Amino acid sequence: MLSVGLTGGIGSGKSTVSELFASYGALVIDADRIAREVVEPGTLGLAAVVAEFGEEVLRPDRTLDRPKLGAIVFGDQDRLQALNAIVHPLVSRRSAELEAEAGRDDVVIHDVPLLTENGLAPLYDVVVVVDAAPQTQLARLVQWRGMDADEARSRMTAQATREQRLAVADLVIDNDGPWDALEPQVRKVWEQLRERGASVSGSSMRS
């Protein structure tokens, strides 16, 4: 089994790359999706969040009010760390459970938006970074997600820099151009990952 960390800045197209990998046969473990699951109603995660931040972070139906929680932690490093201390261990545990279900020859793609920021690169056999220039990210966030420019820049600034992401990359997918140029690159990287995975599996069988 090959464990791959996939990351990229907001607006880079990482989610599209993740979907392409899944279509090729990768087992994709989406950290954002898991982060939502571990704070669903009735979970220990939600109970811990409420204990830390108060009942005001709940909607009337007792689900988590994400925008309200986001407003509390955004720009406040101490509150953000408190939230991460609750959610990250739960996400890591669930991710490990899902990875344990993978077969010996599988390529497991961990889709982790904040891989660089949280120093997670050493956890994976290979790190793949989806790269785009900041001006490209900004244009996509404004044109496709409907953000105003100030909000988009704020979201980008809260993440690692382009240089920091590239510094942890083993493989880079350049998504600074048109979308029709993306799939051939992702396919090429997929073939490289399959080759590495086969090598890892072969080594395991010989040892």
Side-chain angles (χ1 to χ4, degrees):
M1 182 199 72
L2 188 74
S3 179
V4 179
L6 174 68
T7 195
I10 186 171
S12 67
K14 176 186 60 63
S15 296
T16 300
V17 172
S18 181
E19 291 170 2
L20 286 169
F21 279 138
S23 74
Y24 302 152
L27 171 59
V28 175
I29 298 175
D30 186 331
D32 268 355
R33 184 177 302 166
I34 296 172
R36 292 190 293 271
E37 292 174 355
V38 299
V39 290
E40 288 179 346
T43 62
L44 294 176
L46 182 59
V49 169
V50 172
E52 177 68 34
F53 294 94
E55 293 278 335
E56 62 267 25
V57 298
L58 292 178
R59 299 181 187 275
D61 62 0
R62 307 297 291 177
T63 60
L64 184 62
D65 189 330
R66 295 180 183 281
K68 185 170 289 186
L69 179 60
I72 293 172
V73 303
F74 188 75
D76 187 329
Q77 195 61 31
D78 289 339
R79 301 306 280 152
L80 179 59
Q81 288 179 355
L83 177 61
N84 288 342
I86 295 169
V87 176
H88 285 177
L90 297 172
V91 172
S92 296
R93 188 178 310 141
R94 182 56 181 153
S95 295
E97 291 171 354
L98 293 172
E99 185 175 84
E101 298 174 3
R104 187 188 65 206
D105 298 328
D106 283 343
V107 174
V108 180
I109 304 289
H110 291 267
D111 184 337
V112 187
L114 300 181
L115 182 151
T116 306
E117 293 83 346
N118 292 322
L120 302 178
L123 298 180
Y124 307 105
D125 299 317
V126 181
V127 172
V128 177
V129 170
V130 184
D131 181 53
Q135 58 267 31
T136 302
Q137 294 176 258
L138 179 61
R140 289 172 179 166
L141 294 175
V142 171
Q143 293 171 14
W144 296 344
R145 297 202 191 180
M147 295 184 187
D148 64 51
D150 288 341
E151 179 188 3
R153 290 191 188 95
S154 179
R155 295 283 296 275
M156 291 167 60
T157 301
Q159 295 187 337
T161 65
R162 184 184 193 186
E163 291 73 22
Q164 288 170 329
R165 282 190 294 270
L166 292 175
V168 303
D170 297 301
L171 297 170
V172 177
I173 295 172
D174 180 3
N175 193 27
D176 207 37
W179 287 112
D180 58 7
L182 179 62
E183 199 278 338
Q185 288 192 74
V186 182
R187 174 72 70 173
K188 182 177 180 181
V189 168
W190 172 247
E191 294 303 328
Q192 292 176 284
L193 294 175
R194 291 288 294 167
E195 290 174 6
R196 294 193 187 199
S199 176
V200 170
S201 296
S203 298
S204 298
M205 290 178 66
R206 290 191 294 272
S207 60

